[in-house]
Amino acid sequence: RLAGLSPRPCSRMTRRRLWRGAARLRSTLSAAPPTRVAALRQLVAEESPNLFAFAGGGGPSAGGAATSSSGAAALSERAVALAAAAGPVELDAAPLAASLDDRYGRRHTYLRISLTERCSLRCTYCMPADGVSLTDARRLLSAEELLRLAALFVRAGVDKIRLTGGEPTVRPDLAAVVGALDGLRPLGLRQIAMTTNGVALSRLLPSLHAAGLDKLTHLSLDTR
């Protein structure tokens, strides 16, 4: 964590040192047994209320320009297949007893899901010249696990989900993920949003909108 760093701008050399240090830390974590990831997967599989204690630190991975009728059908089939692989989601299930209230009594209804750590750009203020080390795939949740986890949070009162990255549009199954999340609306989900750099929007936005994307937030336009 870099919580102790000053918000003042830093030099390119300082940024490079920070990225290298983060890369070494990530490499160390990847070498260790992914116990927390394994524990999270178990809680998701069991739809356990202890998921929320885990989140607090207490517990143990394309679309065309326009969507034709056949393209829409294929997208729907992919979304249905993804939802089926995630396991049964009871649309008439009662909300979970454990709601997302913090110690100050504030109820949280917003969830951000990072779909990938990859990006389609290499901005100098974000990506060092020598790149970054990617997380071991064993430490990443699958699309099915993400959907099941999202369903648990929606049942706990979350009504807005924002998809981020990296750059979420580099995921080839992004439209299917959005379509599967759209199926959670009967549980109380009201909005599916996405943060993006905008590079692929002209190609992907029609299919994403058809799949259920409601809103674009934090549209980052690099002007350098």
Side-chain angles (χ1 to χ4, degrees), residues 162-194:
R162 179 163 65 99
L163 305 176
T164 68
E167 170 52 41
T169 59
V170 303
R171 279 190 65 130
D173 62 344
L174 175 60
V177 170
V178 173
L181 290 174
D182 191 59
L184 299 179
R185 293 188 188 275
L187 293 178
L189 182 64
R190 296 191 299 110
Q191 183 183 98
I192 303 173
M194 184 178 72

Side-chain angles (χ1 to χ4, degrees), residues 62-68 200-210:
T67 305
S68 62
L201 279 186
S202 61
R203 177 169 54 89
L204 297 180
L205 190 55
S207 61
L208 292 175
H209 179 66

Side-chain angles (χ1 to χ4, degrees), residues 67-84 175-180 182 207 210-211:
T67 305
S68 62
S69 58
S70 60
L75 170 61
S76 177
E77 290 176 1
R78 290 196 299 272
V80 169
L82 175 57
V177 170
V178 173
D182 191 59
S207 61

Side-chain angles (χ1 to χ4, degrees), residues 123-156:
C123 302
T124 57
Y125 49 81
C126 181
M127 178 77 70
D130 51 354
V132 296
S133 300
L134 298 177
T135 303
D136 190 316
R138 296 174 303 169
R139 301 182 64 85
L140 300 177
L141 296 176
S142 67
E144 293 79 9
E145 290 167 330
L146 286 174
L147 176 60
R148 198 164 181 82
L149 187 61
L152 286 173
F153 275 98
V154 171
R155 287 176 56 196

